[in-house]
Amino acid sequence: MPSLVANIQDKQNIAKWKKAYSIISQAYAQTVNEGYEPCTKEHYGCPETSVLKANKVTVYFWYDKAEAITEEFKTHFISKFNGAIICNNSNNCKTNSYIHPSKIRPKTLAGNIFPSYNWSGTRFKLPTGELIMFGGTHGGPWLSVDVNGPENGPNIIGRDMFVMKLYDTSVKPMGAEGTFNPKTNGNECLCGKEYGNSGTVYFGGASGAGEAAPGACCSAVYLSK
């Protein structure tokens, strides 16, 4: 019975993810089209979509120690979501569980705990319960979403949490072309607990050029079903 319940919840969360990705990608494109640039002037950590076909590792997996997304862009992007609450210590987003080791921490499908800085940037919550998080280190910048909020669990990448990589003009789900290193992931990014790095984990592998985290590439796989 528990496995049946979990399977039903997973299907519900996948449906929520598909809806969330559609809304997020539309809001991102709209913000760009209105003239707001998401990345710093040097495009540090946010490669242009148009140069992906150059097939250069330095273009695909830009190492970024900072979030790199401009505050102006984030402000206008968040404004596209009616009723969104920007999370801080004075409201009920309940995101502290993601950033304090003594609390609940998100995990991979294989059970590894994620370093908190994968999503330690600006976080905001939608009226429908989704928590959206900016993060920049190790191959980002990234935008991740917990489709049912951190208070509901299971807080696992590939089950109720999904990841996108940010580009100058668009977002792409983790596992799509250009979001991972094919050489270190067997030329394709697969969805399952047996795939990916079982050690220290980052969304796209260390510096964005290593093995992806188990479950991270479910983000793209589920959108194709």
Side-chain angles (χ1 to χ4, degrees), residues 123-204:
R123 301 180 295 279
F124 63 100
K125 193 168 186 177
L126 305 186
T128 46
E130 297 89 344
L131 180 68
I132 301 174
M133 299 158 281
F134 283 91
T137 56
H138 297 282
W142 305 100
L143 193 64
S144 54
V145 57
D146 186 328
V147 296
N148 60 354
E151 62 269 29
N152 295 314
N155 299 329
I156 294 175
I157 294 288
R159 291 192 61 190
D160 62 335
M161 300 181 69
F162 302 92
V163 190
M164 295 150 277
K165 187 171 182 178
L166 307 184
Y167 294 95
D168 277 5
T169 60
S170 65
V171 295
K172 297 182 72 173
M174 179 61 191
E177 181 183 4
T179 63
F180 68 96
N181 188 340
K183 291 183 179 179
T184 53
N185 288 276
N187 291 318
E188 58 182 333
C189 205
L190 301 174
C191 173
K193 65 181 181 180
E194 67 272 31
Y195 304 113
N197 191 342
S198 59
T200 302
V201 291
Y202 309 98
F203 292 146

Side-chain angles (χ1 to χ4, degrees), residues 17-55:
W17 159 233
K18 290 180 178 181
K19 182 178 179 180
Y21 179 77
S22 176
I23 294 171
I24 290 169
S25 58
Q26 288 178 42
Y28 196 88
Q30 185 178 358
T31 307
V32 170
N33 290 336
E34 290 174 355
Y36 296 98
E37 294 188 10
C39 306
T40 58
K41 291 183 179 179
E42 296 79 13
H43 297 291
Y44 185 61
C46 193
E48 296 179 28
T49 306
S50 59
V51 299
L52 287 177
K53 294 181 180 179
N55 198 29

